[in-house]
Amino acid sequence: MSYQNGFNPAQMMGFGNPYAAAFGSPGGYGGYGSPGRGGGRGRGRDDRRGGRGGGRGGGGPRDSRPPIPENSNARMRKMVLKLGDDDEYHPVDDPHRLSRVLKRAWREGSAGVCEGFRISVTQQPHKHSYLVVLLLSLSRRNSPTTEPNEGDEAQVGDKRKADDSNDEDVEYGREVLEDLSRALRGWVEGREWQNVRLGLQFFSLLVPAGLVTSSSLLGVYKSLLAVLEEVGGGGDRAERAVRAVGEGLIRSGRVLYENHPEEVENLVSAIEGYIIGRRNEVKSLVDPFSPVSLDGQEHTPTPDTLDNFLSALHALRADSFALPHSLPRYWESATLSDGTIQSDPYELSPISMPPEMYAVDSNELDKGEGRIGNIKLFGDDVVPPPETLEGWVLRSLVLDIINIYEVNRKECATLLLSFRKFLPSNTFKPVNPPTEEDEDKVLSTWSSESLIISTLLNSLLTLPRSTYKSIYYGSVITELCKISPNTVAPPVGRAVRKIFSYLGSGGSEGALDVECQNRVAVWFSTHLSNFGFQWMWKEWIPDLDLPLSYPKRAFMRRVTELEVRLAYYDRILDTLPEPMKAEGAGVISSEPPEPFWPYEKPDHPLHTEAKELLQLFRSKTSPSDIRTHIETLPNSNSGPGESISEDIRKMVFETLLHLGSRSFSHFLNATERYLDLLRYLTSESSSRQLLLESVWTYWKHSHQLKLISVDKYLQYGILEGLDIVEYLFESTDSDEVEEGDGWTDGWKFEILKMTIEKHVGRTQSIKNRLKVIEREDEMARARRAAELLEKGGDVGEGTGEEDMEEDTRAEGSKAFNDAQTSLDIQSTRLEKILIATIKQFVTSLLPINSASSNQGLKGVLTLLNSGEEGLWSVRARLGWYKEFVRLWSPHLIPLAEPIENSVFSLRSSTDENDEIDRRAVELVKGIWNSALEL
Amino acid sequence: MAQVVTCLDQPSSYRDNRSEIDRETERRLLAQSSTLYVGNLSFYTTEAQMYELFSTCARPDEGGGIKRIIMGLDRHQKILPTFRSNPGYKEGRQFGRGKSGGQVRDEFRQEYDSGRGGWGHQRLEEEKRRQEQERLRSQIQFDTYAAVGGLGMAGADVPRGEGAGADRQKRGRSEDEDIERREDEKRLRGERDDE
């Protein structure tokens, strides 16, 4: 029994591939397109589009159009790209056949072959070994001493033989190699780090294959690692060089070590020095596990990506740099046939690193390329750990596929499920139960699906940010589950259970970071929404004994809350077992996310007034009339000229929310229509707090609508960021004290994050506008100068130009100055919000007036001192404080001075003898200090 | 990264026949547009649900976000609700319509989802399938996440699967839940673990 009755993945994926035949294209080359073909699945879609990116232009990709006839370059490029897609692919014979086809048509299509290699090397890393064999075949030619019609070419016709001998002087392999090494230099210059690494990985495989000299590859390694010698350490480029060279050593190390043992050792030492030499503070900020401890010594930092990498390199060195078993080495079987000779190995030229770049927003994506979270989700016998050589190699490959195929989650999922076919056969445990024949063999216990899920979830949980949007990783998991529910869903379930065990004091590693916890909840609720919201809630029933604010409890609440947002209350309630539905169980909100309008009740003191106002709103009475109406209400103020009373204001706010309660659009319409009224009623900071209070009351059962309301009030300029920061920290709803407040449940940080992001976004979009204006100004200046030159007035040329320049500058600067002014305003606002937030966090974690009492973090530590855990809401707040610092450190670091002065200088430990107080301060300050180290 | 795989973020092949702008202009406008059309929604889909899901695609720290959602029945035929975020549409176009004034459909949902109106157009068979689905639900709940490997909770009251699933019921608690243990299961079956 499986999902198959549900969605029939076979039906979904089974679009026939009418283009499969096209691949075995005209001149049929020795059965390369074998009859068993028809796999290639969605790849057919590529073909239908008529070779995107082929520079062939011509119309949009309308399906109705006849396919554009292919030219040789495109055809041969496609042959290279499709190498190995065939299910019955033979890793030695097929490249050999293809190379003969390519050689024959070399004159018309060599550019296509080179392009195919460039694309395949950087976009199909799982095929590297296949490409090596192809390149090896291309680099071989008939020995001049033997007759060309000998050897295994007997079936080839006379004409072709003649062609071959005519082209004897063409060095096919060399052309590809030259093109690729040019491309590699281009990638380095363009800082396309992923391409650089993948390119170098490929070149490194060519050394054991005998296609590239080991000394020249060593030269490339050394030239890249030279960046480590730079003053200042080389910045992000150092990490990129270390990654690329280290990956290269994994692939080429054995041969290199045989020829140049000392130099290889030196390279490893240089990499080691760089990785070990990094400061620990930087790592602690992105450590997914950071338990609160009394002495801070118990926790061994979680190794990060580079630590794992170094361990893998150590394992490599310990094994005399032998190639990992998980990397196929088909070239070893591609022996020279009689009568052929191998071209001389190619000499790579050294590559120099481009200078460090300081522009922050350039190539943001490739910065920190290849970093991934390190949360252990499976046993070592199921997913090889990333600190082992095999584990590292396999995870890197999966990660590369995930990153490269981001443009198409469906293709990504399909490829991930089939990528094991590109690896040596015993890499993963067999798909089918072992037969008797297998009994003698030692079979692998690794699960490719578990490795995929582990890599996807760890990508999602990368701190501070995942490479791509969170939704991408979840979408791939959804696709995987649709294609192969029976093999993918179980690892998904196990991973979630494992993560659940990390919540709270759970695992030996300690509590999982609260941001990771939240990302899992967001992903998991969306995931469940795609699969009927079915989950084994029952197994978490015993955890209901834990305190309500305990992270496991908070996680359950967060998941159900997010599920309700994607569906509706009753549906989610239905999925829970009885004990979790019970009154006070605290798994799902006790009420559906309905609005709460207290004036409905006839006994409410403002019942009549509210009803009347609602009627006026509904009849679209103008804002000014409403204003007059409110001001003339009895009890609206204590006297003429006095401000309107709080009760009336709240009543107006809540009634306006009621007017727009039906949907997001209703809310926007109501807000837009009565914008003036809202502005009038919220001119002071205190009345804006009142507005927030009204939102909190009206949407007491829906954190989502709190978020949406606040978001839009911010957008319309009714609220300011500072109002929200203040309200979030000041408000403690009486019923949530120690049983899951907005910080343990994550929604308060959600609102805070939205607020700060909105302000960051405002400054960012003005910055972008400034850039556009600058460019336009520059173009205008250039145009003027050109016009002037055309007029050819060489009389008084100098003065004329100066005049012009002044003119344009004045013209351009109007827009420029305006933008600059609003940038200054927005930047100041953002700075104020950031400082206010950090101040609020620090004050709530280290209450100033409570040096003796046990509030805040000190309370947590005092409890811990007596062997107890508790005050989970304070711990959650500490986690969010860390996330705040981590997320906005680029904006916070320039504010270090005011933050030191206005926040931390006020809260140094008051009593030197108070060990616990000192530790509390140390914890909070430590997080800030690690940000400063970045 | 588009040479080995089709990018999914290409504009739809749909074209508004009544639109007077030429293709080139249309393409240029589409490239700049921040409006997204989502079709084939259930009658019961709410704006808040759309907001929740599509917020995850926005870039608020670059000034993005959901500005507006336009959802409503077709003005004439009252067929399917549509969705848009961000301005940049023409009046009247909020009622999404295809070539025949109705809806353009380029993808079909294959799976049953009661939250999205069951099987869609196959109403006749719907009820029959719904019942089957209900039966499967409890099955799936068991199978999906627990079929292979430890439940992590010994003795939890797991919905009973039928037939083949039934022999995968109880199994021991294991410290390491990650071990694939189809083989082990057979040995463990029947052993209650009440620790």
Side-chain angles (χ1 to χ4, degrees):
Chain A
M1 273 293 118
S2 76
Y3 265 141
Q4 270 173 351
N5 295 327
F7 11 75
N8 195 353
Q11 199 183 328
M12 289 176 71
M13 297 306 297
F15 19 75
N17 186 351
Y19 297 88
F23 181 64
S25 64
Y29 35 88
Y32 180 65
S34 74
R37 232 193 126 68
R41 296 193 143 170
R43 286 296 151 74
R45 278 180 283 174
D46 285 2
D47 304 352
R48 216 180 308 159
R49 306 191 74 111
R52 299 172 31 78
R56 229 172 301 120
R62 303 279 302 209
D63 289 349
S64 53
R65 292 186 164 207
I68 303 153
E70 288 183 314
N71 63 30
S72 295
N73 275 329
R75 201 182 74 242
M76 286 166 74
R77 186 188 66 160
K78 198 198 276 174
M79 287 180 197
V80 176
L81 292 183
K82 299 272 176 187
L83 179 73
D85 284 349
D86 192 336
D87 279 338
E88 284 163 33
Y89 178 77
H90 189 286
V92 177
D93 295 350
D94 285 340
H96 189 52
R97 283 198 198 95
L98 177 59
S99 89
R100 263 185 282 156
V101 176
L102 296 179
K103 283 178 182 176
R104 221 171 283 139
W106 194 259
R107 283 185 185 152
E108 306 94 74
S110 64
V113 176
C114 289
E115 198 192 352
F117 266 94
R118 284 200 305 271
I119 295 169
S120 245
V121 162
T122 50
Q123 295 180 31
Q124 307 195 87
H126 47 289
K127 291 186 184 173
H128 274 187
S129 188
Y130 294 174
L131 292 166
V132 173
V133 182
L134 177 61
L135 195 52
L136 203 58
S137 282
L138 286 173
S139 307
R140 286 173 182 173
R141 52 189 160 153
N142 290 330
S143 157
T145 55
T146 44
E147 285 298 306
N149 60 350
E150 280 181 13
D152 62 347
E153 314 257 333
Q155 79 276 26
V156 181
D158 284 331
K159 186 177 176 296
R160 282 175 189 162
K161 261 185 284 170
D163 279 354
D164 277 358
S165 48
N166 279 347
D167 286 347
E168 204 66 1
D169 52 333
V170 180
E171 293 192 83
Y172 311 99
R174 194 173 183 84
E175 279 187 32
V176 175
L177 280 163
E178 266 165 8
D179 179 79
L180 263 183
S181 71
R182 244 193 326 272
L184 181 64
R185 277 199 298 279
W187 294 325
V188 174
E189 270 160 37
R191 296 162 212 267
E192 296 170 52
W193 301 123
Q194 184 173 278
N195 288 351
V196 171
R197 178 168 56 74
L198 292 170
L200 202 62
Q201 286 180 201
F202 182 70
F203 272 114
S204 300
L205 287 175
L206 299 180
V207 170
L211 285 166
V212 163
T213 63
S214 53
S215 55
S216 72
L217 184 67
L218 202 60
V220 172
Y221 289 170
K222 283 198 270 188
S223 59
L224 289 174
L225 277 190
V227 72
L228 299 182
E229 311 290 322
E230 284 182 20
V231 185
D236 184 61
R237 292 170 312 142
E239 185 179 331
R240 311 278 62 89
V242 159
R243 273 301 302 274
V245 172
E247 293 283 2
L249 281 173
I250 290 175
R251 286 153 180 85
S252 65
R254 196 180 54 79
V255 180
L256 253 54
Y257 191 68
E258 278 165 11
N259 300 321
H260 319 270
E262 269 179 37
E263 304 207 47
V264 171
E265 289 284 359
N266 287 344
L267 288 177
V268 176
S269 306
I271 293 172
E272 192 172 42
Y274 170 76
I275 293 178
I276 294 176
R278 294 175 307 149
R279 280 166 295 202
N280 272 331
E281 290 83 358
V282 185
K283 263 162 51 184
S284 74
L285 205 56
V286 293
D287 192 331
F289 297 101
S290 46
V292 177
S293 68
L294 278 168
D295 54 8
Q297 299 301 313
E298 294 154 26
H299 178 66
T300 39
T302 313
D304 70 357
T305 309
L306 286 180
D307 292 330
N308 285 162
F309 187 44
L310 184 60
S311 307
L313 288 176
H314 282 158
L316 178 78
R317 186 168 61 185
D319 198 19
S320 316
F321 295 92
L323 192 73
H325 301 292
S326 308
L327 290 176
R329 48 184 99 190
Y330 298 117
W331 61 86
E332 289 180 0
S333 327
T335 46
L336 277 173
S337 50
D338 289 341
T340 51
I341 54 162
Q342 180 77 51
S343 306
D344 290 336
Y346 183 74
E347 291 277 341
L348 285 169
S349 47
I351 296 171
S352 57
M353 272 281 192
E356 187 159 7
M357 198 156 48
Y358 293 96
V360 188
D361 50 349
S362 53
N363 272 337
E364 199 54 63
L365 197 66
D366 266 12
K367 193 172 181 226
E369 180 269 316
R371 279 190 211 154
I372 180 172
N374 187 20
I375 299 170
K376 190 177 156 66
L377 300 175
F378 297 91
D380 291 352
D381 53 343
V382 177
V383 175
E387 66 269 19
T388 63
L389 185 56
E390 304 294 333
W392 173 268
V393 167
L394 287 172
R395 191 187 66 178
S396 296
L397 179 57
V398 174
L399 181 60
D400 283 340
I401 292 176
I402 292 169
N403 287 339
I404 292 167
Y405 282 71
E406 188 265 346
V407 293
N408 189 327
R409 63 180 196 285
K410 294 184 177 189
E411 291 285 352
C412 182
T414 311
L415 176 61
L416 285 173
L417 284 176
S418 66
F419 92 107
R420 60 184 291 159
K421 78 173 185 184
F422 297 98
L423 301 178
S425 60
N426 192 28
T427 304
F428 295 106
K429 75 175 159 63
V431 181
N432 301 312
T435 57
E436 281 176 26
E437 291 163 35
D438 294 331
E439 264 175 20
D440 307 334
K441 287 196 232 160
V442 182
L443 292 175
S444 168
T445 57
W446 297 341
S447 148
S448 69
E449 290 87 358
S450 301
L451 171 69
I452 293 164
I453 295 300
S454 169
T455 312
L456 279 163
L457 287 180
N458 271 303
S459 300
L460 168 74
L461 298 178
T462 310
L463 295 174
R465 282 187 181 82
S466 53
T467 309
Y468 294 103
K469 289 192 165 303
S470 300
I471 189 96
Y472 167 59
Y473 305 101
S475 310
V476 178
I477 295 178
T478 301
E479 295 301 329
L480 289 167
C481 283
K482 282 182 181 170
I483 300 170
S484 182
N486 293 325
T487 59
V488 181
V492 170
R494 274 194 291 278
V496 172
R497 279 185 209 101
K498 192 73 187 170
I499 291 168
F500 190 72
S501 77
Y502 286 139
L503 302 177
S505 45
S508 53
E509 290 86 350
L512 184 66
D513 187 278
V514 70
E515 164 65 11
C516 292
Q517 178 183 334
N518 187 52
R519 283 189 208 172
V520 173
V522 173
W523 156 67
F524 191 51
S525 54
T526 312
H527 178 80
L528 291 181
S529 81
N530 283 309
F531 297 98
F533 294 103
Q534 296 304 306
W535 175 244
M536 298 285 299
W537 285 102
K538 279 186 175 150
E539 59 182 79
W540 289 343
I541 290 174
D543 294 301
L544 298 185
D545 294 339
L546 293 164
L548 274 166
S549 62
Y550 195 86
K552 285 184 180 172
R553 303 292 311 274
F555 180 76
M556 290 191 233
R557 276 195 303 272
R558 183 76 175 148
V559 170
T560 57
E561 189 208 325
L562 295 170
E563 282 185 322
V564 170
R565 291 189 194 182
L566 293 166
Y568 51 95
Y569 184 78
D570 286 341
R571 182 159 191 220
I572 303 309
L573 193 68
D574 261 1
T575 63
L576 297 175
E578 284 307 324
M580 291 188 165
K581 289 188 211 172
E583 178 114 20
V587 174
I588 186 166
S589 155
S590 58
E591 302 280 337
E594 297 296 328
F596 171 69
W597 194 54
Y599 311 96
E600 196 79 66
K601 289 187 189 136
D603 57 346
H604 194 286
L606 289 173
H607 170 76
T608 330
E609 288 86 347
K611 278 270 176 193
E612 195 183 353
L613 182 64
L614 187 63
Q615 204 45 53
L616 288 172
F617 277 145
R618 284 196 172 140
S619 56
K620 302 190 180 176
T621 312
S622 77
S624 56
D625 288 353
I626 298 264
R627 187 175 149 180
T628 318
H629 171 78
I630 295 166
E631 280 169 338
T632 51
L633 277 179
N635 306 325
S636 83
N637 46 32
S638 44
E642 295 292 307
S643 62
I644 298 164
S645 78
E646 292 198 349
D647 287 347
I648 297 289
R649 273 179 213 256
K650 277 198 73 173
M651 186 272 284
V652 177
F653 295 147
E654 282 163 41
T655 307
L656 193 54
L657 285 167
H658 200 47
L659 177 72
S661 66
R662 276 191 60 198
S663 74
F664 179 67
S665 297
H666 285 86
F667 169 67
L668 282 189
N669 288 339
T671 308
E672 277 177 9
R673 189 175 303 143
Y674 293 107
L675 212 51
D676 289 344
L677 180 69
L678 277 170
R679 290 215 174 103
Y680 167 69
L681 289 174
T682 56
S683 54
E684 289 150 33
S685 163
S686 62
S687 51
R688 293 196 291 272
Q689 294 296 309
L690 220 53
L691 174 61
L692 281 161
E693 208 179 306
S694 303
V695 173
W696 256 239
T697 312
Y698 188 77
W699 289 116
K700 64 197 250 180
H701 300 306
S702 170
H703 305 313
Q704 184 197 12
L705 280 146
K706 286 188 191 94
L707 174 82
I708 293 179
S709 310
V710 171
D711 182 337
K712 293 304 145 192
Y713 284 155
L714 255 182
Q715 192 181 313
Y716 286 111
I718 296 161
L719 288 175
E720 282 179 26
L722 279 175
D723 299 323
I724 298 157
V725 173
E726 187 185 338
Y727 190 76
L728 285 173
F729 282 92
E730 306 284 305
S731 68
T732 35
D733 306 45
S734 51
D735 58 337
E736 59 176 14
V737 189
E738 186 39 16
E739 31 190 72
D741 64 6
W743 298 107
T744 50
D745 288 19
W747 58 265
K748 273 197 176 173
F749 191 79
E750 194 182 7
I751 296 177
L752 179 67
K753 186 175 175 180
M754 177 277 293
T755 306
I756 298 175
E757 274 182 338
K758 186 139 274 175
H759 283 86
V760 171
R762 282 179 189 166
T763 55
Q764 192 54 47
S765 47
I766 301 174
K767 278 181 194 162
N768 294 344
R769 202 165 74 222
L770 268 176
K771 267 185 211 158
V772 174
I773 295 173
E774 265 180 311
R775 214 176 303 136
E776 280 170 1
D777 284 2
E778 217 159 90
M779 271 160 61
R781 270 198 293 276
R783 217 171 23 246
R784 294 282 180 106
E787 276 167 22
L788 198 77
L789 211 69
E790 211 159 283
K791 281 177 192 158
D794 50 4
V795 190
E797 190 187 57
T799 50
E801 249 177 47
E802 272 162 31
D803 287 349
M804 273 306 164
E805 207 143 280
E806 263 172 27
D807 275 4
T808 42
R809 204 175 285 151
E811 187 186 304
S813 68
K814 171 83 177 87
F816 187 84
N817 285 344
D818 285 355
Q820 188 63 50
T821 313
S822 49
L823 179 62
D824 290 344
I825 294 171
Q826 292 297 344
S827 302
T828 315
R829 262 187 210 159
L830 176 62
E831 284 169 14
K832 278 187 185 161
I833 289 164
L834 291 170
I835 295 174
T837 308
I838 195 165
K839 193 169 188 170
Q840 291 278 15
F841 266 123
V842 173
T843 324
S844 74
L845 290 167
L846 304 169
I848 292 175
N849 51 7
S850 66
S852 55
S853 79
N854 284 331
Q855 284 183 327
L857 201 52
K858 216 184 141 189
V860 175
L861 292 170
T862 311
L863 272 179
L864 210 59
N865 203 24
S866 55
E868 281 179 65
E869 287 184 312
L871 289 172
W872 292 99
S873 65
V874 179
R875 286 166 180 253
R877 214 177 280 212
L878 179 70
W880 289 124
Y881 160 68
K882 188 175 172 184
E883 167 69 0
F884 164 78
V885 171
R886 186 164 55 202
L887 211 46
W888 288 291
S889 57
H891 299 276
L892 288 169
I893 292 167
L895 304 173
E897 209 182 305
I899 288 175
E900 289 285 345
N901 293 339
S902 67
V903 182
F904 288 105
S905 64
L906 303 175
R907 193 55 177 92
S908 45
S909 184
T910 40
D911 183 355
E912 281 301 312
N913 296 323
D914 190 344
E915 196 54 29
I916 288 180
D917 189 54
R918 197 189 51 73
R919 174 66 184 145
V921 173
E922 187 182 281
L923 270 171
V924 174
K925 261 194 160 166
I927 290 171
W928 167 243
N929 287 339
S930 18
L932 291 180
E933 296 285 334
L934 290 176
Chain B
M1 290 299 167
Q3 289 100 329
V4 290
V5 64
T6 318
C7 295
L8 290 181
D9 60 355
Q10 300 298 309
S12 151
S13 59
Y14 164 75
R15 191 164 184 279
D16 181 4
N17 286 332
R18 284 174 236 190
S19 164
E20 312 222 317
I21 48 179
D22 62 277
R23 270 185 195 216
E24 217 25 72
T25 319
E26 186 185 75
R27 199 171 301 147
R28 195 169 42 76
L29 288 174
L30 276 176
Q32 292 168 352
S33 168
S34 50
T35 303
L36 185 71
Y37 170 86
V38 179
N40 204 18
L41 298 174
S42 151
F43 285 106
Y44 303 105
T45 305
T46 66
E47 293 185 0
Q49 288 168 350
M50 301 306 285
Y51 189 96
E52 182 68 13
L53 189 61
F54 283 87
S55 297
T56 60
C57 309
R59 292 186 186 279
D61 53 352
E62 286 167 27
I66 297 179
K67 300 277 185 297
R68 191 165 279 278
I69 299 174
I70 298 167
M71 228 163 116
L73 296 176
D74 185 294
R75 185 193 281 162
H76 312 291
Q77 301 191 355
K78 308 237 182 266
I79 319 174
L80 287 159
T82 64
F83 159 92
R84 273 160 199 279
S85 73
N86 290 2
Y89 69 96
K90 250 164 76 184
E91 188 51 38
R93 293 293 289 134
Q94 66 267 47
F95 308 100
R97 54 187 160 69
K99 285 178 183 140
S100 57
Q103 192 83 6
V104 178
R105 241 173 147 174
D106 47 10
E107 248 186 308
F108 290 85
R109 175 165 56 81
Q110 304 279 344
E111 68 272 25
Y112 178 88
D113 186 341
S114 60
R116 294 176 185 142
W119 290 104
H121 62 290
Q122 301 152 326
R123 289 281 154 99
L124 278 175
E125 283 185 75
E126 183 172 328
E127 187 52 26
K128 206 179 109 197
R129 286 183 174 170
R130 209 184 68 82
Q131 283 167 4
E132 170 72 356
Q133 186 70 16
E134 281 303 313
R135 197 184 64 75
L136 281 172
R137 261 201 190 183
S138 53
Q139 187 83 48
I140 286 167
Q141 178 165 5
F142 176 77
D143 277 350
T144 314
Y145 300 103
V148 202
L151 291 181
M153 236 318 292
D157 185 11
V158 173
R160 277 192 179 268
E162 287 161 31
D167 64 356
R168 300 203 200 123
Q169 287 298 305
K170 303 278 190 279
R171 62 182 62 85
R173 175 203 290 268
S174 83
E175 281 310 303
D176 188 355
E177 297 166 21
D178 315 323
I179 304 163
E180 301 277 341
R181 54 174 74 209
R182 238 177 241 280
E183 279 310 293
D184 290 358
E185 269 164 42
K186 288 178 187 145
R187 273 183 276 118
L188 281 167
R189 197 191 320 147
E191 285 178 25
R192 278 299 307 262
D193 191 339
D194 291 311
E195 57 186 312

